[in-house]
Amino acid sequence: MSNKKQLGKKLRLAKKNRQNRRVPVFAMMKTGRKLRTHPKARQWSRSKIKV
């Protein structure tokens, strides 16, 4: 990430980046692979973040 943005915006973008991870393997195995996809997963070109 570049440094030409405000700190608050940068922190919010970093949080959204951390949230956009796959479901952990232990969670998949614990639920018998019923929980495979993340319900809040975001694809960068399909949905935009309101920051």
Side-chain angles (χ1 to χ4, degrees):
M1 234 185 281
S2 67
N3 62 351
K4 298 284 186 178
K5 57 177 67 76
Q6 297 91 356
L7 178 64
K9 188 173 192 177
K10 195 170 186 174
L11 291 174
R12 286 192 297 273
L13 285 170
K15 181 178 181 180
K16 289 293 181 184
N17 201 19
R18 285 195 307 270
Q19 285 178 342
N20 200 30
R21 300 292 167 133
R22 54 172 293 178
V23 177
V25 176
F26 81 89
M28 277 195 263
M29 293 299 120
K30 188 175 178 182
T31 58
R33 290 189 53 188
K34 288 180 183 172
L35 180 72
R36 274 187 240 161
T37 58
H38 203 290
K40 291 187 176 181
R42 181 181 46 79
Q43 214 274 340
W44 68 271
S45 63
R46 266 186 261 140
S47 60
K48 296 300 173 186
I49 306 169
K50 293 183 179 178
V51 181

